C-alpha cells in the first residue's frame, strides 16, 4: 500500500521517498530534535535506514509515517504517523498502531504537531488497517509532546522505561461511530 497524501491548512503530509534522505538527515542530526527520542543525533546511515523503514512500513502494515512539509514553502517540517514498532516493553506494549511525531526545532511550539496528527488520526479512524486503539510512547520529560498527546485525546495508561529512559505510555481509543 502507498500512503495517501493528507493536507491540512498549513501542511502537506506525503509518503517518504528515497529523495527525502537529506531532509530526514537534517531533522535527525539536530541534538534538540533527538533530545527525547534516543538522546543523540543520528548518522546519515541511520537516517537512511529510517527512510527505508518508513517506505516499507506501508507495504507491511497498511499504515506508516508521512513526511510533513509546509504548504507555503515546501520546507520539511518533520515526520508524523502511525507504525508498528513491536517495542520490547514491560508492561507489554500492545502490538499494533503506535502514533509518533518528530518536528524540526524551528517548527516547535506552533501547533504543527497537533495539526498534522489530527489529520493522521482522522485518516487512521477511517482505515480498516488501523485498530481501534492507538498507543504512543513519550519520554516523561518531554512536556511538549505530552501536551500534544492530550490535545489529540491520548491518556496515560502506564509508566515504564524504554532503553533505560523513563517513559509514559498513552492510549487513544477510536471515537464511537467510526
Amino acid at each position: 500500500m502507498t500512503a495517501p497524501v493528507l493536507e491540512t491548512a498549513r501542511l502537506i503530509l506525503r509518503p517518504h521517498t528515497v529523495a527525502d534522505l537529506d531532509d530526514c538527515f537534517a531533522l535527525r542530526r539536530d541534538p534538540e530534535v533527538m533530545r527525547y527520542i534516543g538522546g543523540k543525533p543520528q548518522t546519515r546511515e541511520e537516517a537512511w535506514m529510517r527512510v527505508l523503514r518508513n517506505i516499507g512500513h506501508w507495504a507491511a502494515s497498511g499504515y506508516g509515517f508521512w513526511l510533513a512539509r509546509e504548504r507555503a514553502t515546501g520546507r520539511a517540517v518533520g515526520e508524523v504517523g502511525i507504525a508498528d514498532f513491536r517495542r520490547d516493553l514491560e508492561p507489554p506494549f500492545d502490538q499494533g498502531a503506535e502514533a509518533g511525531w518528530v518536528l524540526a526545532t524551528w517548527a516547535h511550539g506552533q501547533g504543527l504537531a497537533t495539526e498534522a496528527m489530527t489529520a493522521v488520526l482522522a485518516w487512521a479512524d477511517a482505515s480498516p488497517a488501523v485498530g481501534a486503539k492507538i498507543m504512543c510512547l513519550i519520554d516523561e520529560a518531554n512536556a511538549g509532546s505530552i501536551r500534544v498527546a492530550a490535545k489529540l485525546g491520548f491518556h496515560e495508561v502506564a509508566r515504564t522505561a524504554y532503553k533505560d529512559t523513563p517513559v509514559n505510555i498513552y492510549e487513544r481509543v477510536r471515537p464511537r461511530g467510526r
Side-chain angles (χ1 to χ4, degrees):
M1 173 178 189
T2 302
V5 173
L6 304 178
E7 296 189 23
T8 71
R10 298 180 288 172
L11 302 170
I12 296 174
L13 312 179
R14 64 150 179 82
H16 286 78
T17 70
V18 295
D20 294 323
L21 174 59
D22 289 340
D23 286 332
C24 293
F25 178 48
L27 175 70
R28 292 186 175 273
R29 74 176 175 211
D30 181 340
E32 185 59 27
V33 168
M34 298 305 293
R35 180 177 173 190
Y36 299 115
I37 51 173
K40 64 181 180 72
Q42 289 188 340
T43 65
R44 187 172 182 82
E45 177 183 352
E46 290 168 324
W48 174 245
M49 297 308 293
R50 184 169 296 277
V51 168
L52 294 176
R53 181 179 79 182
N54 287 338
I55 292 169
H57 211 100
W58 284 93
S61 302
Y63 53 89
F65 269 65
W66 287 265
L67 183 65
R69 292 192 176 277
E70 278 187 311
R71 289 175 69 99
T73 66
R75 178 168 55 163
V77 172
E79 298 171 317
V80 297
I82 300 170
D84 181 357
F85 293 130
R86 309 234 172 169
R87 296 193 192 270
D88 186 16
L89 286 171
E90 194 57 48
F93 201 66
D94 288 341
Q95 297 296 324
E98 177 184 343
W101 50 91
V102 56
L103 272 61
T105 303
W106 65 264
H108 292 180
Q110 299 179 43
L112 292 169
T114 302
E115 182 176 329
M117 287 304 298
T118 297
V120 167
L121 293 171
W123 175 87
D125 287 344
S127 172
V130 181
K133 184 168 49 170
I134 299 174
M135 310 294 283
C136 67
L137 182 74
I138 302 174
D139 183 307
E140 71 176 20
N142 190 343
S145 279
I146 291 170
R147 281 191 302 275
V148 170
K151 290 177 189 176
L152 296 170
F154 286 90
H155 65 278
E156 184 180 322
V157 294
R159 293 178 181 218
T160 188
Y162 180 64
K163 297 184 179 182
D164 299 321
T165 299
V167 295
N168 300 342
I169 299 173
Y170 297 83
E171 76 175 19
R172 174 189 176 273
V173 178
R174 179 179 296 147
R176 293 187 190 275
R178 291 190 181 175

